[in-house]
Amino acid sequence: MTTNETPHDSHPYVGMWVTADGYIRQELLPNGRYDEARGNRRSAYTGSYTVTGNHLDYVDDTGFTATGDVRDGALYHEHLVLYRERPAP
């Protein structure tokens, strides 16, 4: 991940993002990689991402590209809306 805001390991977007129904789970890793699960299919999509401000650019390992934006605490990733997964108390 590249960013002009904070170091990789402490960037506020690092962590798990999940759709409201829990079907899609996208983990943004501190090393600039992401791992996306769909339903029971683990690592359905993997690749790298970069962050510029509130904007994310993705390149999956097959070369497909996508974008996302964080607004009001949600990650709008193409047609998906993902929310930060909060750890159970």
Side-chain angles (χ1 to χ4, degrees):
M1 169 178 58
T2 61
T3 180
N4 55 9
E5 294 180 347
T6 58
H8 298 188
D9 59 351
S10 63
H11 195 280
Y13 299 160
V14 168
M16 186 66 72
W17 296 82
V18 184
T19 54
D21 63 4
Y23 184 76
I24 298 174
R25 302 173 55 80
Q26 185 181 93
E27 185 173 14
L28 299 178
L29 302 166
N31 64 354
R33 300 279 300 162
Y34 72 90
D35 191 318
E36 184 174 303
R38 297 205 170 209
N40 293 329
R41 188 172 164 211
R42 299 181 71 182
S43 299
Y45 298 97
T46 59
S48 61
Y49 71 96
T50 58
V51 177
T52 305
N54 291 336
H55 181 80
L56 289 86
D57 288 296
Y58 297 84
V59 179
D60 84 3
D61 291 337
T62 67
F64 179 80
T65 61
T67 62
D69 292 286
V70 177
R71 297 188 308 267
D72 299 323
L75 171 56
Y76 293 83
H77 174 61
E78 298 299 329
H79 66 281
L80 302 171
V81 180
L82 299 107
Y83 303 93
R84 286 301 301 244
E85 180 177 70
R86 301 291 178 215

